[in-house]
Amino acid sequence: MNYELLSNLYKEEAEKNKNDALILKTRNEILQNEIENLRQKIKKIEEEKDSLEKEVESLKSALEFKEEKQKESFTYYS
C-alpha cells in the first residue's frame, strides 16, 4: 500500500477521535452541570419539606391546645 494513503487515513482517524473526545468532554460537562442543578433542587425541596413538617407540627399543637381549651371551658348547669 501507499504510505501516503495510510498516513492520510491515520490523520483522518486521529481527527475523528479528537472530535469524538471533545464531544464527550462537552457532554460530560453538561451532565455534571445538570447533576449539580438537581442536587440544589433536591436540597431546596428537602428544606421546604422540613419547613412544612414543622408547620404541620405547630398547627397540630395549636389544634390540640384549642381542643383542650374547649374541653376546659364546658360548664354544666343543673
Coordinates of all heavy atoms in Angstrom, one line a residue:
M1 N 0.8 -1.2 0.0 CA 0.0 0.0 0.0 C 0.9 1.2 0.0 O 2.0 1.2 0.4 CB -0.9 0.0 1.2 CG -2.1 -0.9 1.2 SD -3.2 -0.6 2.5 CE -4.4 0.4 1.6
N2 N 0.2 2.3 -0.3 CA 0.9 3.5 -0.4 C 1.0 4.2 1.0 O 0.0 4.3 1.7 CB 0.1 4.4 -1.4 CG 0.9 5.7 -1.7 OD1 1.8 6.1 -1.0 ND2 0.4 6.4 -2.7
Y3 N 2.2 4.5 1.4 CA 2.4 5.1 2.7 C 1.7 6.4 2.9 O 1.2 6.8 4.0 CB 3.9 5.3 3.1 CG 4.6 3.9 3.3 CD1 5.5 3.4 2.4 CD2 4.3 3.2 4.4 CE1 6.1 2.2 2.6 CE2 4.8 2.0 4.7 CZ 5.7 1.5 3.7 OH 6.3 0.3 4.0
E4 N 1.6 7.2 1.8 CA 0.9 8.5 1.9 C -0.6 8.2 2.1 O -1.2 8.9 2.9 CB 1.1 9.2 0.5 CG 0.6 10.6 0.6 CD 0.8 11.3 -0.8 OE1 1.8 11.0 -1.4 OE2 0.0 12.2 -1.1
L5 N -1.2 7.2 1.5 CA -2.6 6.9 1.8 C -2.8 6.5 3.2 O -3.8 6.9 3.9 CB -3.0 5.8 0.8 CG -4.5 5.3 0.9 CD1 -5.4 6.5 0.7 CD2 -4.7 4.2 -0.1
L6 N -1.9 5.6 3.7 CA -2.0 5.2 5.1 C -1.9 6.4 6.1 O -2.6 6.5 7.1 CB -1.0 4.1 5.4 CG -1.2 2.8 4.8 CD1 0.0 1.9 5.1 CD2 -2.4 2.1 5.4
S7 N -1.0 7.3 5.8 CA -0.8 8.5 6.6 C -2.0 9.3 6.6 O -2.4 9.8 7.7 CB 0.4 9.3 6.1 OG 0.6 10.4 6.8
N8 N -2.6 9.5 5.5 CA -3.9 10.3 5.4 C -5.0 9.7 6.2 O -5.8 10.3 6.9 CB -4.3 10.5 3.9 CG -3.4 11.5 3.2 OD1 -2.7 12.3 3.9 ND2 -3.4 11.5 1.9
L9 N -5.1 8.3 6.0 CA -6.1 7.6 6.8 C -5.9 7.8 8.3 O -6.9 7.9 9.1 CB -6.2 6.1 6.4 CG -6.7 5.8 5.0 CD1 -6.5 4.3 4.7 CD2 -8.2 6.2 4.9
Y10 N -4.7 7.7 8.7 CA -4.3 7.8 10.1 C -4.7 9.2 10.6 O -5.3 9.4 11.7 CB -2.8 7.5 10.3 CG -2.4 7.8 11.7 CD1 -2.7 6.9 12.8 CD2 -1.7 9.0 12.0 CE1 -2.3 7.2 14.1 CE2 -1.3 9.2 13.3 CZ -1.6 8.4 14.4 OH -1.2 8.6 15.6
K11 N -4.4 10.2 9.8 CA -4.7 11.6 10.2 C -6.2 11.8 10.3 O -6.7 12.5 11.3 CB -4.1 12.6 9.2 CG -2.6 12.7 9.3 CD -2.1 13.7 8.2 CE -0.6 13.7 8.2 NZ 0.0 14.6 7.1
E12 N -7.0 11.3 9.4 CA -8.4 11.4 9.4 C -9.0 10.7 10.7 O -9.9 11.2 11.3 CB -9.0 10.8 8.2 CG -8.8 11.6 6.9 CD -9.4 10.9 5.7 OE1 -10.1 9.9 5.8 OE2 -9.1 11.4 4.6
E13 N -8.4 9.5 11.0 CA -8.9 8.8 12.1 C -8.6 9.5 13.4 O -9.4 9.6 14.4 CB -8.3 7.4 12.2 CG -8.9 6.5 13.2 CD -10.3 6.1 13.0 OE1 -10.8 6.1 11.8 OE2 -11.0 5.7 14.0
A14 N -7.3 10.1 13.5 CA -6.9 10.8 14.6 C -7.8 12.1 14.8 O -8.2 12.4 16.0 CB -5.5 11.3 14.5
E15 N -8.1 12.7 13.7 CA -9.0 13.9 13.8 C -10.4 13.5 14.3 O -11.0 14.2 15.1 CB -9.1 14.6 12.5 CG -9.8 16.0 12.5 CD -9.0 17.0 13.3 OE1 -7.8 17.0 13.4 OE2 -9.7 17.9 13.8
K16 N -10.9 12.4 13.8 CA -12.2 11.9 14.2 C -12.2 11.6 15.7 O -13.2 12.0 16.4 CB -12.6 10.7 13.4 CG -13.9 10.1 13.7 CD -14.2 8.9 12.9 CE -15.5 8.3 13.5 NZ -15.7 6.9 12.9
N17 N -11.2 10.9 16.2 CA -11.1 10.6 17.6 C -11.0 11.9 18.4 O -11.6 11.9 19.5 CB -9.9 9.7 17.8 CG -10.1 8.3 17.3 OD1 -11.2 7.9 17.1 ND2 -9.0 7.6 17.1
K18 N -10.3 12.8 17.9 CA -10.2 14.1 18.7 C -11.5 14.8 18.8 O -11.9 15.3 19.9 CB -9.2 15.0 17.9 CG -8.9 16.3 18.6 CD -7.9 17.1 17.8 CE -7.7 18.5 18.4 NZ -6.7 19.3 17.6
N19 N -12.3 14.8 17.7 CA -13.6 15.4 17.7 C -14.5 14.6 18.6 O -15.3 15.2 19.4 CB -14.2 15.5 16.3 CG -13.5 16.5 15.4 OD1 -12.9 17.4 15.9 ND2 -13.6 16.3 14.1
D20 N -14.5 13.3 18.6 CA -15.3 12.5 19.5 C -15.0 12.8 20.9 O -15.9 12.9 21.8 CB -15.1 11.0 19.2 CG -15.8 10.6 17.8 OD1 -16.6 11.4 17.3 OD2 -15.4 9.5 17.4
A21 N -13.7 12.9 21.2 CA -13.3 13.2 22.6 C -13.8 14.5 23.1 O -14.3 14.7 24.2 CB -11.8 13.1 22.7
L22 N -13.8 15.5 22.2 CA -14.3 16.8 22.5 C -15.8 16.8 22.8 O -16.3 17.4 23.7 CB -13.9 17.8 21.4 CG -14.3 19.3 21.6 CD1 -13.6 19.8 22.8 CD2 -14.0 20.1 20.4
I23 N -16.5 16.1 21.9 CA -17.9 15.9 22.1 C -18.2 15.3 23.4 O -19.1 15.7 24.2 CB -18.6 15.1 20.9 CG1 -18.5 16.0 19.7 CG2 -20.0 14.7 21.3 CD1 -18.9 15.2 18.4
L24 N -17.5 14.2 23.8 CA -17.7 13.5 25.0 C -17.4 14.4 26.2 O -18.1 14.4 27.2 CB -16.9 12.2 25.1 CG -17.4 11.1 24.1 CD1 -16.4 9.9 24.2 CD2 -18.8 10.7 24.5
K25 N -16.4 15.2 26.1 CA -16.0 16.1 27.2 C -17.1 17.1 27.4 O -17.5 17.4 28.5 CB -14.7 16.8 26.9 CG -14.2 17.7 27.9 CD -12.9 18.4 27.5 CE -12.4 19.3 28.6 NZ -11.2 20.0 28.2
T26 N -17.6 17.7 26.3 CA -18.7 18.7 26.4 C -19.9 18.1 27.0 O -20.6 18.7 27.9 CB -19.0 19.2 25.0 OG1 -17.8 19.8 24.4 CG2 -20.1 20.3 25.1
R27 N -20.3 16.9 26.6 CA -21.4 16.2 27.2 C -21.2 15.9 28.7 O -22.2 16.1 29.5 CB -21.7 14.8 26.5 CG -22.3 15.0 25.1 CD -22.6 13.6 24.5 NE -23.1 13.7 23.2 CZ -23.3 12.7 22.4 NH1 -23.0 11.5 22.8 NH2 -23.9 12.8 21.2
N28 N -20.1 15.5 29.0 CA -19.8 15.3 30.4 C -19.9 16.6 31.3 O -20.5 16.5 32.4 CB -18.3 14.7 30.6 CG -18.1 14.3 32.0 OD1 -18.9 13.7 32.6 ND2 -16.8 14.5 32.5
E29 N -19.4 17.7 30.8 CA -19.6 19.0 31.5 C -21.1 19.3 31.6 O -21.5 19.8 32.7 CB -18.8 20.1 30.7 CG -17.3 19.9 30.8 CD -16.6 20.9 29.9 OE1 -17.3 21.7 29.2 OE2 -15.4 20.9 29.9
I30 N -21.8 19.1 30.5 CA -23.3 19.4 30.6 C -23.9 18.5 31.7 O -24.8 19.0 32.5 CB -23.9 19.2 29.2 CG1 -23.4 20.3 28.3 CG2 -25.4 19.2 29.3 CD1 -23.8 20.1 26.8
L31 N -23.6 17.2 31.7 CA -24.2 16.3 32.6 C -23.8 16.7 34.1 O -24.6 16.6 35.0 CB -23.8 14.9 32.3 CG -24.4 14.3 31.1 CD1 -23.8 12.9 30.8 CD2 -25.9 14.2 31.2
Q32 N -22.6 17.1 34.3 CA -22.1 17.5 35.6 C -22.9 18.7 36.1 O -23.3 18.8 37.2 CB -20.6 17.8 35.6 CG -19.8 16.5 35.4 CD -19.9 15.5 36.6 OE1 -20.2 15.9 37.7 NE2 -19.9 14.3 36.2
N33 N -23.1 19.7 35.2 CA -23.9 20.9 35.5 C -25.4 20.5 35.9 O -25.9 21.0 36.8 CB -23.9 21.9 34.4 CG -22.6 22.6 34.2 OD1 -21.8 22.6 35.1 ND2 -22.3 23.1 33.0
E34 N -25.9 19.6 35.1 CA -27.3 19.1 35.4 C -27.4 18.4 36.7 O -28.3 18.6 37.5 CB -27.8 18.2 34.2 CG -28.1 18.9 33.0 CD -29.3 19.9 33.2 OE1 -30.3 19.6 33.8 OE2 -29.1 21.0 32.7
I35 N -26.4 17.6 37.0 CA -26.3 16.9 38.3 C -26.3 17.9 39.4 O -27.0 17.8 40.4 CB -25.1 15.9 38.4 CG1 -25.4 14.7 37.4 CG2 -24.8 15.5 39.8 CD1 -24.2 13.8 37.2
E36 N -25.5 18.9 39.3 CA -25.3 19.9 40.3 C -26.7 20.7 40.5 O -27.1 20.9 41.6 CB -24.2 20.9 40.0 CG -24.0 21.9 41.1 CD -23.6 21.3 42.4 OE1 -22.9 20.2 42.5 OE2 -24.0 21.9 43.5
N37 N -27.3 21.0 39.4 CA -28.6 21.7 39.4 C -29.6 20.8 40.2 O -30.4 21.3 41.0 CB -29.1 22.0 38.1 CG -28.3 23.2 37.4 OD1 -27.7 23.9 38.1 ND2 -28.4 23.2 36.1
L38 N -29.7 19.5 39.9 CA -30.6 18.6 40.5 C -30.3 18.5 42.0 O -31.2 18.4 42.8 CB -30.6 17.2 39.8 CG -31.2 17.2 38.4 CD1 -30.9 15.8 37.8 CD2 -32.6 17.5 38.5
R39 N -29.0 18.5 42.4 CA -28.7 18.4 43.8 C -29.2 19.6 44.5 O -29.7 19.5 45.6 CB -27.2 18.3 44.0 CG -26.7 16.9 43.7 CD -25.2 16.8 43.9 NE -24.8 15.4 43.7 CZ -23.6 15.1 43.3 NH1 -22.7 16.0 43.0 NH2 -23.2 13.8 43.1
Q40 N -29.0 20.8 43.9 CA -29.5 22.0 44.5 C -31.1 22.0 44.6 O -31.6 22.4 45.7 CB -29.1 23.2 43.7 CG -27.6 23.5 43.8 CD -27.2 24.6 42.8 OE1 -28.0 25.2 42.1 NE2 -25.9 24.9 42.9
K41 N -31.7 21.5 43.6 CA -33.2 21.4 43.7 C -33.6 20.5 44.8 O -34.6 20.7 45.5 CB -33.8 21.0 42.3 CG -33.7 22.1 41.3 CD -34.3 21.6 40.0 CE -34.1 22.7 38.9 NZ -34.7 22.3 37.6
I42 N -32.9 19.3 44.9 CA -33.3 18.4 45.9 C -33.1 19.0 47.3 O -33.9 18.8 48.2 CB -32.4 17.1 45.8 CG1 -32.9 16.3 44.6 CG2 -32.4 16.2 47.0 CD1 -31.9 15.1 44.2
K43 N -32.0 19.7 47.5 CA -31.7 20.4 48.8 C -32.8 21.4 49.1 O -33.3 21.4 50.2 CB -30.4 21.1 48.7 CG -29.9 21.7 50.0 CD -28.6 22.3 49.9 CE -28.2 22.9 51.3 NZ -26.9 23.6 51.2
K44 N -33.3 22.2 48.1 CA -34.3 23.1 48.3 C -35.6 22.4 48.7 O -36.4 22.8 49.6 CB -34.6 24.0 47.1 CG -33.5 25.1 46.9 CD -33.9 25.9 45.7 CE -32.8 27.0 45.4 NZ -33.1 27.8 44.2
I45 N -35.9 21.3 48.0 CA -37.1 20.6 48.3 C -37.1 20.0 49.7 O -38.1 20.0 50.4 CB -37.4 19.5 47.2 CG1 -37.8 20.1 45.9 CG2 -38.4 18.5 47.7 CD1 -37.8 19.2 44.7
E46 N -35.9 19.5 50.1 CA -35.8 18.9 51.5 C -36.0 20.0 52.5 O -36.6 19.7 53.5 CB -34.4 18.2 51.6 CG -34.4 16.9 50.9 CD -33.0 16.3 50.9 OE1 -32.0 16.9 51.3 OE2 -32.9 15.1 50.6
E47 N -35.4 21.2 52.3 CA -35.6 22.3 53.2 C -37.1 22.7 53.3 O -37.6 22.9 54.4 CB -34.8 23.5 52.8 CG -33.3 23.3 52.9 CD -32.4 24.4 52.3 OE1 -33.0 25.3 51.7 OE2 -31.2 24.3 52.5
E48 N -37.7 22.7 52.1 CA -39.2 23.1 52.1 C -40.0 22.0 52.9 O -40.9 22.3 53.6 CB -39.7 23.2 50.7 CG -41.1 23.7 50.6 CD -41.5 23.9 49.1 OE1 -40.6 24.0 48.2 OE2 -42.7 24.0 48.9
K49 N -39.6 20.7 52.7 CA -40.3 19.6 53.3 C -40.1 19.8 54.8 O -41.1 19.6 55.6 CB -39.7 18.3 52.9 CG -40.3 17.1 53.6 CD -39.5 15.8 53.2 CE -39.9 14.7 54.2 NZ -38.7 13.9 54.4
D50 N -38.9 20.0 55.3 CA -38.7 20.2 56.7 C -39.5 21.4 57.3 O -40.1 21.3 58.4 CB -37.2 20.5 57.0 CG -36.3 19.2 56.8 OD1 -36.9 18.1 56.7 OD2 -35.1 19.4 56.6
S51 N -39.5 22.5 56.5 CA -40.3 23.6 56.9 C -41.8 23.3 57.1 O -42.5 23.7 58.0 CB -40.1 24.8 55.9 OG -40.9 25.8 56.2
L52 N -42.3 22.6 56.1 CA -43.7 22.2 56.1 C -44.0 21.2 57.2 O -45.1 21.3 57.9 CB -44.1 21.6 54.7 CG -44.2 22.6 53.6 CD1 -44.4 21.8 52.3 CD2 -45.3 23.6 53.8
E53 N -43.1 20.3 57.5 CA -43.3 19.4 58.6 C -43.4 20.1 60.0 O -44.2 19.9 60.8 CB -42.2 18.3 58.7 CG -42.3 17.3 57.6 CD -41.2 16.3 57.6 OE1 -40.1 16.6 58.2 OE2 -41.3 15.2 57.0
K54 N -42.5 21.1 60.1 CA -42.5 22.0 61.3 C -43.8 22.7 61.4 O -44.4 22.8 62.5 CB -41.3 22.9 61.3 CG -40.0 22.3 61.6 CD -38.9 23.2 61.5 CE -37.5 22.5 61.7 NZ -36.4 23.5 61.6
E55 N -44.3 23.3 60.3 CA -45.6 24.0 60.3 C -46.7 23.1 60.6 O -47.6 23.5 61.4 CB -45.8 24.6 58.9 CG -47.0 25.5 58.9 CD -47.2 26.2 57.5 OE1 -46.2 26.2 56.7 OE2 -48.2 26.8 57.3
V56 N -46.7 21.9 60.1 CA -47.8 20.9 60.4 C -47.8 20.6 61.9 O -48.8 20.5 62.6 CB -47.6 19.6 59.6 CG1 -48.5 18.5 60.1 CG2 -48.0 19.9 58.1
E57 N -46.6 20.4 62.5 CA -46.5 20.1 63.9 C -47.0 21.3 64.8 O -47.7 21.1 65.8 CB -45.0 19.7 64.3 CG -44.6 18.4 63.8 CD -45.4 17.2 64.4 OE1 -45.8 17.3 65.6 OE2 -45.8 16.4 63.6
S58 N -46.6 22.5 64.3 CA -47.1 23.7 65.0 C -48.6 23.8 65.0 O -49.3 24.1 66.0 CB -46.5 24.9 64.4 OG -47.0 26.1 64.9
L59 N -49.2 23.5 63.8 CA -50.7 23.5 63.7 C -51.3 22.4 64.5 O -52.4 22.7 65.1 CB -51.1 23.4 62.2 CG -50.7 24.6 61.3 CD1 -50.9 24.3 59.9 CD2 -51.5 25.9 61.8
K60 N -50.7 21.3 64.5 CA -51.3 20.2 65.4 C -51.3 20.6 66.8 O -52.3 20.4 67.5 CB -50.5 18.9 65.2 CG -50.8 18.2 63.9 CD -49.9 16.9 63.9 CE -50.1 16.1 62.6 NZ -49.3 14.9 62.6
S61 N -50.2 21.2 67.3 CA -50.1 21.7 68.7 C -51.2 22.7 68.9 O -51.8 22.7 70.0 CB -48.7 22.3 68.9 OG -47.7 21.3 68.8
A62 N -51.3 23.6 68.0 CA -52.3 24.7 68.2 C -53.7 24.1 68.3 O -54.6 24.5 69.1 CB -52.3 25.7 67.1
L63 N -54.0 23.1 67.4 CA -55.3 22.4 67.4 C -55.5 21.7 68.7 O -56.6 21.8 69.3 CB -55.4 21.5 66.2 CG -56.7 20.7 66.0 CD1 -57.9 21.7 65.8 CD2 -56.6 19.8 64.9
E64 N -54.5 21.0 69.2 CA -54.7 20.2 70.4 C -54.9 21.2 71.6 O -55.7 21.0 72.5 CB -53.4 19.4 70.7 CG -53.3 18.2 69.8 CD -51.9 17.5 70.0 OE1 -51.1 18.0 70.8 OE2 -51.7 16.5 69.2
F65 N -54.2 22.3 71.6 CA -54.4 23.4 72.6 C -55.8 23.9 72.6 O -56.5 24.0 73.6 CB -53.4 24.5 72.4 CG -53.5 25.6 73.4 CD1 -53.1 25.4 74.7 CD2 -54.1 26.8 73.1 CE1 -53.2 26.4 75.7 CE2 -54.3 27.8 74.0 CZ -53.8 27.6 75.3
K66 N -56.3 24.2 71.4 CA -57.7 24.7 71.2 C -58.7 23.7 71.7 O -59.7 24.0 72.4 CB -57.9 25.0 69.7 CG -59.3 25.7 69.5 CD -59.4 26.0 68.0 CE -60.8 26.6 67.8 NZ -61.0 26.9 66.3
E67 N -58.5 22.4 71.4 CA -59.4 21.4 71.8 C -59.4 21.2 73.3 O -60.5 21.1 74.0 CB -59.1 20.0 71.2 CG -59.4 20.0 69.7 CD -58.9 18.7 69.0 OE1 -58.1 17.9 69.6 OE2 -59.3 18.5 67.9
E68 N -58.2 21.3 74.0 CA -58.1 21.2 75.4 C -58.8 22.4 76.0 O -59.5 22.3 77.1 CB -56.7 21.2 75.8 CG -56.0 19.8 75.6 CD -54.5 19.8 76.0 OE1 -54.1 20.8 76.7 OE2 -53.8 18.9 75.5
K69 N -58.7 23.6 75.4 CA -59.3 24.8 76.0 C -60.8 24.7 75.9 O -61.5 25.1 76.8 CB -58.8 26.0 75.1 CG -59.1 27.3 75.7 CD -57.9 27.7 76.5 CE -58.1 29.2 76.8 NZ -57.3 29.6 77.9
Q70 N -61.3 24.1 74.8 CA -62.7 24.0 74.7 C -63.3 23.0 75.7 O -64.3 23.1 76.3 CB -63.1 23.5 73.3 CG -63.0 24.6 72.2 CD -63.3 24.0 70.8 OE1 -63.4 22.8 70.6 NE2 -63.5 25.0 69.9
K71 N -62.5 21.9 76.0 CA -63.0 20.9 77.0 C -63.0 21.5 78.4 O -63.9 21.3 79.1 CB -62.0 19.7 77.0 CG -62.2 18.8 75.8 CD -61.2 17.7 75.9 CE -61.2 16.8 74.6 NZ -60.2 15.7 74.7
E72 N -62.0 22.4 78.7 CA -62.0 23.0 80.0 C -63.1 24.1 80.2 O -63.5 24.3 81.3 CB -60.6 23.7 80.2 CG -59.5 22.7 80.3 CD -58.1 23.4 80.3 OE1 -58.1 24.7 80.3 OE2 -57.1 22.7 80.4
S73 N -63.5 24.7 79.1 CA -64.5 25.8 79.2 C -65.9 25.3 79.3 O -66.8 26.1 79.5 CB -64.4 26.7 78.0 OG -64.8 26.0 76.8
F74 N -66.2 24.0 79.2 CA -67.5 23.5 79.4 C -67.9 23.6 80.9 O -67.2 23.2 81.8 CB -67.6 22.0 79.0 CG -67.9 21.8 77.6 CD1 -67.0 21.2 76.7 CD2 -69.1 22.2 77.0 CE1 -67.2 21.1 75.4 CE2 -69.4 22.0 75.7 CZ -68.4 21.5 74.9
T75 N -69.0 24.2 81.1 CA -69.6 24.2 82.5 C -71.0 23.6 82.4 O -71.7 23.9 81.4 CB -69.7 25.6 83.0 OG1 -70.4 26.4 82.1 CG2 -68.3 26.2 83.2
Y76 N -71.3 22.8 83.3 CA -72.5 22.1 83.3 C -73.5 22.8 84.3 O -73.1 23.0 85.5 CB -72.4 20.6 83.7 CG -71.6 19.9 82.7 CD1 -70.2 19.6 82.9 CD2 -72.2 19.4 81.5 CE1 -69.5 19.0 81.9 CE2 -71.4 18.7 80.6 CZ -70.1 18.5 80.8 OH -69.4 17.8 79.8
Y77 N -74.6 23.1 83.8 CA -75.6 23.8 84.7 C -76.6 22.7 85.0 O -77.1 22.0 84.2 CB -76.3 25.0 83.9 CG -75.3 26.1 83.6 CD1 -74.8 26.2 82.4 CD2 -74.9 27.0 84.7 CE1 -73.9 27.3 82.1 CE2 -74.0 28.0 84.4 CZ -73.5 28.1 83.1 OH -72.6 29.2 82.8
S78 N -77.1 22.8 86.3 CA -78.1 21.8 86.7 C -79.4 22.4 86.7 O -79.6 23.5 87.1 CB -77.8 21.3 88.1 OG -76.5 20.8 88.2

